[in-house]
Each structure stands twice: as C-alpha cells, then as structure tokens.
C-alpha cells in the first residue's frame, strides 16, 4: 500500500510539473524525504507522506481514512447483539 501511495504522490507531482526539490520546498522537507515517499519506504514517517500530500492540495480526502461511519465491518460487529458481553450481577454486601 505504501508503494502504491508513493506512486500516486509521484504521479500527482509530475502532473503539477513539480520537481522533487520543488515539492520538498513546498512541504518543508528534504528532497531525499520526497524520494523516500515516492518509493513507498515503510520507514518513512506518516507525517512525511501527509506533508507531501498537503503541499499538493491532496490532504482533504484523508478525512475518510478509517472513518468510523464508513467501517461496515465494525458497525456490523457493534450492532451484533449476540456478541455483546453480559454483565454478571454481583451481590451487594451490606454487612458493615
């Protein structure tokens, strides 16, 4: 997935006719950081990817990543009454 994201970022940069150095300057990163993003290196921090996307105006769609409202599996599990935990009633000890 990181490699695919890197390719998409590279494609967006090229469409905008930006050099790696231009994107690095806009994002406040080094050119080597942009190279790492575009190659999809997993050791590159998430913030670096986010800065590159933001610098090209592509960060708006990130609000949908892991959106709880779009998590169909999670919603189904949450609504499944069979998997709900049952709380055992405890006896109250009123013996002071």
């Amino acid at each position: 997935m990181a490699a695919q994201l890197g390719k998409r970022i590279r494609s967006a940069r090229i469409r905008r006719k930006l050099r790696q150095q231009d994107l690095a300057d806009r994002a406040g990163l080094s050119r080597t950081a942009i190279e790492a993003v575009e190659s999809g290196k997993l050791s590159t921090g998430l913030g670096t990817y986010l800065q590159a996307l933001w610098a090209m105006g592509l960060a708006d769609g990130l609000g949908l990543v892991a959106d709880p409202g779009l998590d169909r599996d999670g919603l189904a599990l949450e609504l499944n009454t069979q998997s709900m935990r049952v709380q055992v009633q405890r006896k109250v000890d009123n013996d002071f």
Side-chain angles (χ1 to χ4, degrees):
M1 293 180 108
Q4 187 179 38
L5 178 58
K7 286 179 184 179
R8 289 178 178 180
I9 290 172
R10 182 178 192 279
S11 176
R13 176 183 61 78
I14 291 170
R15 285 183 179 165
R16 286 164 176 74
K17 299 187 183 340
L18 295 172
R19 298 174 304 145
Q20 286 181 332
Q21 187 61 53
D22 298 332
L23 178 55
D25 292 341
R26 283 187 182 189
L29 300 167
S30 67
R31 188 183 55 75
T32 56
I34 297 299
E35 286 176 358
V37 165
E38 290 183 356
S39 66
K41 288 188 178 179
L42 292 175
S43 60
T44 303
L46 178 61
T48 306
Y49 283 88
L50 296 177
Q51 284 177 266
L53 290 167
W54 174 82
M56 291 188 291
L58 296 173
D60 292 341
L62 295 174
L64 298 176
V65 174
D67 183 342
L70 299 175
D71 181 10
R72 286 184 272 162
D73 292 338
L75 289 170
L77 290 170
E78 185 177 58
L79 297 174
N80 184 357
T81 58
Q82 293 176 351
S83 66
M84 292 181 70
R85 297 181 102 186
V86 177
Q87 293 191 5
V88 178
Q89 291 184 357
R90 297 182 182 151
K91 291 183 179 181
V92 178
D93 184 12
N94 290 331
D95 205 17
F96 295 101

